[in-house]
Amino acid sequence: MKENRRALARVAGVLGPDSRLALVGGWVRDHLLGREAGDMDLATALMPEEVMRRGRAAGLKALPTGLQHGTVTLLVEGQPFEITTFRGDGDYADGRHPDSVRLGVTLEEDLARRDFTINAMAILVDSMEAADPYRHLVDPFDGRGDLERGLIRAVGDPLQRFAEDGLRSLRACRFASQLSFALEPDTFQAIGQRLEVAAKVSVERVLVELTKLLTGADPKAGLQLLADSGLLDLWTPELRPMIGCGQNRHHKFPVWEHTLETVALAPADPALRWAALLHDVGKPATRSVDEGGAVHFYGHEALSLGITVLIFQRLKASQALTREVLALVRHHGTHPTEEWSDGACRRLLRKLAEDSLGLEQWGRFRLADQVAKGFGEEPSRSEHEKVMARLRALAEARPPLASNALALDGRALIALAAKRGGPWVGQLQHHLLDVVIEDPTQNTPAELTRRARAWLKEQSSPAVE
Ligand code: ATP
Ligand code: MG
């Protein structure tokens, strides 16, 4: 941070006092909140060409990284500083991008085009060394007051601002989660009235915003805002039936409330939070009530998997995220008990390994899901710890969990059978793996040879009808 400040002072010096170089937007917001501030957003009264010229004249590297938006990058001590000329936006015909940008406006006009009051403040870099830099805070919309009140409020008329750019509706809910803020009522109302504009946001941006919302500090509030405003239905209509769907005796809370609770309890990791959101999405459609009045959700895991695939395809999620979330959803209903044999526990370890899902990651999800069932944190936690201690101990013994851990490899099996390789090799390996997972002491060449011979003999004898 110190080096940052020094390099920043150098940029300000190079550009000169008439540049009115200012920190703006998210950086100012996070700095005032005492949060770790992300990228520095810098703005200046100078035209981009002039920023390049002054930078180069001082021996700095200057790159025209976004001239169409008025952005230039200066490199100082190897560090990039993105500097954007004060700009106003033209009309937004497509609900996504301004048709044109006007450079050469005042700082106040630049702040007026920003989305929320808390994102529409600036600190002039030259004033930062002053005893009270906030005396120099440029804050035309009382963003500081809204920071103190914990409010997300649109700059200007929210109906118009959400009509210009649909992304803002999502950003509002995302900031509510990240900052644990509320939406100012008119701002909230406007979201519901501009859904058709939000619907135009590219799915790539939607995925980024939803993931930020899910991994925020208060994802329950963020998700509830999506549901209450109607944004939820634009990209994930499959979630709506969870609201109001009652559960069975294994749960204290209805499906939606349990889902929100699971999301909030899961560590703030994208895969864990997405899995928490989607693990029970198959419940409403599989809900049944038997003659005794008991509620069941037969096959809900499989349906949750199918819906997860559908949603992730729609949002163009990466293979890596999809794979991990599917693995978490697939195995969320498996609950080893004390009655389980070691072999059964190892079979679970094998399934997790086949899905490249680490035991600890599986455990993190399970703990959240179990506690969210609402039967007391302590009992759930201690039951979970027992399950994990046993699985960890079994895993630490490094049992064979895949064919490549068998004491006989594929080539040895082919030699043993004295016939050409084919699908039978995989089937035999599968069989041998079943044997050694049940009892790892069987994983020796001699024992596997004996087992393999028996299996081959059985295969070659005619099938009995
Ligand atoms: P974060 O970096 O944590 O995602 P941020 O608010 O800094 O949040 P950026 O995308 O980095 O978001 O944008 C920087 C600033 O640009 C914002 O603080 C805001 O002032 C402005 N801004 C960003 N997106 C929009 C938008 N869609 N409409 C209006 N202003 C925006
Ligand atoms: Mg930012």
Side-chain angles (χ1 to χ4, degrees):
M1 190 62 212
K2 257 211 175 102
E3 282 103 66
N4 272 354
R5 287 280 173 102
R6 208 185 52 215
L8 182 61
R10 170 103 198 274
V11 176
V14 163
L15 294 183
D18 61 330
S19 70
R20 300 204 78 217
L21 186 68
L23 280 155
V24 287
W27 192 92
V28 176
R29 174 198 71 221
D30 290 339
H31 183 69
L32 291 177
L33 283 171
R35 295 173 92 223
E36 194 174 317
D39 299 337
M40 276 190 180
D41 307 309
L42 287 166
T44 179
L46 301 179
M47 286 296 170
E49 298 73 24
E50 186 59 14
V51 175
M52 302 256 292
R53 201 188 62 72
R54 291 189 191 183
R56 284 179 179 159
L60 298 180
K61 202 167 193 146
L63 307 165
T65 44
L67 277 189
Q68 68 279 30
H69 318 287
T71 305
V72 168
T73 301
L74 291 186
L75 281 171
V76 181
E77 298 166 14
Q79 218 186 299
F81 287 87
E82 270 201 2
I83 302 166
T84 303
T85 300
F86 298 156
R87 56 174 240 221
D89 291 339
D91 289 339
Y92 285 73
D94 65 354
R96 298 209 226 186
H97 311 285
D99 304 338
S100 59
V101 298
R102 284 177 295 119
L103 299 182
V105 302
T106 63
L107 174 57
E108 284 71 14
E109 278 176 88
D110 180 283
L111 295 174
R113 73 168 167 90
R114 294 172 184 272
D115 48 6
F116 305 111
T117 60
I118 59 168
N119 290 343
M121 294 179 275
I123 299 176
L124 290 165
V125 174
D126 277 340
S127 76
M128 286 186 68
E129 301 306 319
D132 176 12
Y134 302 123
R135 203 155 57 82
H136 303 281
L137 188 72
V138 184
D139 180 17
F141 307 101
D142 192 24
R144 203 171 176 195
D146 282 336
L147 273 187
E148 274 156 24
R149 290 182 282 270
L151 279 183
I152 315 283
R153 181 196 311 271
V155 170
D157 173 12
L159 280 170
Q160 187 196 330
R161 303 313 307 284
F162 294 148
E164 289 167 354
D165 177 1
L167 185 64
R168 292 174 187 154
S169 306
L170 262 174
R171 280 172 56 91
C173 301
R174 179 260 275 201
F175 285 122
S177 169
Q178 285 184 320
L179 306 175
S180 303
F181 277 22
L183 295 196
E184 174 277 321
D186 288 344
T187 300
F188 168 74
Q189 284 297 328
I191 294 178
Q193 294 178 50
R194 291 291 177 263
L195 293 178
E196 74 288 356
V197 188
K200 295 183 193 164
V201 177
S202 74
V203 289
E204 289 85 352
R205 302 298 295 268
V206 171
L207 180 68
V208 169
E209 290 301 322
L210 291 180
T211 303
K212 285 185 178 180
L213 181 154
L214 282 171
T215 53
D218 192 358
K220 275 190 195 178
L223 287 166
Q224 198 59 53
L225 285 169
L226 292 181
D228 294 344
S229 66
L231 284 173
L232 188 77
D233 307 302
L234 296 181
W235 307 284
T236 52
E238 296 86 355
L239 300 187
R240 177 70 63 185
M242 287 203 280
I243 299 171
C245 178
Q247 297 257 29
N248 54 25
R249 63 190 171 82
H250 300 298
H251 284 264
K252 239 189 177 134
F253 306 122
V255 176
W256 177 245
E257 286 73 10
H258 164 72
T259 296
L260 294 188
E261 203 59 36
T262 309
V263 171
L265 287 166
D269 160 81
L272 290 172
R273 292 267 168 107
W274 269 108
L277 180 66
L278 297 168
H279 75 291
D280 277 347
V281 68
K283 274 193 167 178
T286 55
R287 189 175 193 277
S288 65
V289 186
D290 68 20
E291 287 145 19
V295 172
H296 304 280
F297 300 99
Y298 296 121
H300 85 268
E301 284 101 342
L303 187 59
S304 294
L305 284 174
I307 295 175
T308 299
V309 169
L310 209 69
I311 290 175
F312 274 9
Q313 278 175 350
R314 190 182 296 145
L315 295 179
K316 300 193 180 149
S318 70
Q319 292 284 337
L321 181 69
T322 305
R323 187 197 58 65
E324 193 175 1
V325 171
L326 286 178
L328 288 163
V329 173
R330 182 174 298 122
H331 300 294
H332 88 266
T334 312
H335 299 293
T337 63
E338 279 173 10
E339 288 87 64
W340 276 35
S341 67
D342 285 353
C345 289
R346 278 190 293 267
R347 277 199 290 281
L348 171 59
L349 294 176
R350 171 188 179 178
K351 284 188 199 151
L352 299 183
E354 281 169 358
D355 277 345
S356 308
L357 180 57
L359 175 61
E360 297 304 321
Q361 187 76 339
W362 175 82
R364 286 179 204 111
F365 183 84
R366 182 175 188 274
L367 178 62
D369 188 20
Q370 292 297 92
V371 173
K373 289 180 180 173
F375 294 104
E377 176 166 354
E378 211 18 67
S380 302
R381 204 175 270 281
S382 63
E383 181 269 350
H384 176 74
E385 273 318 314
K386 264 192 226 144
V387 168
M388 288 303 287
R390 182 167 177 210
L391 291 172
R392 276 187 200 117
L394 289 168
E396 268 157 28
R398 306 215 152 268
L401 297 176
S403 307
N404 63 10
L406 290 171
L408 286 186
D409 66 10
R411 237 191 290 170
L413 294 174
I414 289 170
L416 185 77
K419 60 176 182 175
R420 254 199 287 166
W424 66 269
V425 181
Q427 291 158 8
L428 174 52
Q429 286 176 321
H430 197 87
H431 166 70
L432 295 177
L433 196 55
D434 284 346
V435 169
V436 301
I437 281 192
E438 203 50 48
D439 179 4
T441 65
Q442 306 277 304
N443 195 21
T444 63
E447 190 54 38
L448 293 191
T449 301
R450 193 180 73 73
R451 296 275 188 165
R453 287 216 167 102
W455 186 86
L456 286 161
K457 198 165 159 210
E458 202 175 294
Q459 296 296 305
S460 60
S461 55
V464 186
E465 282 296 303

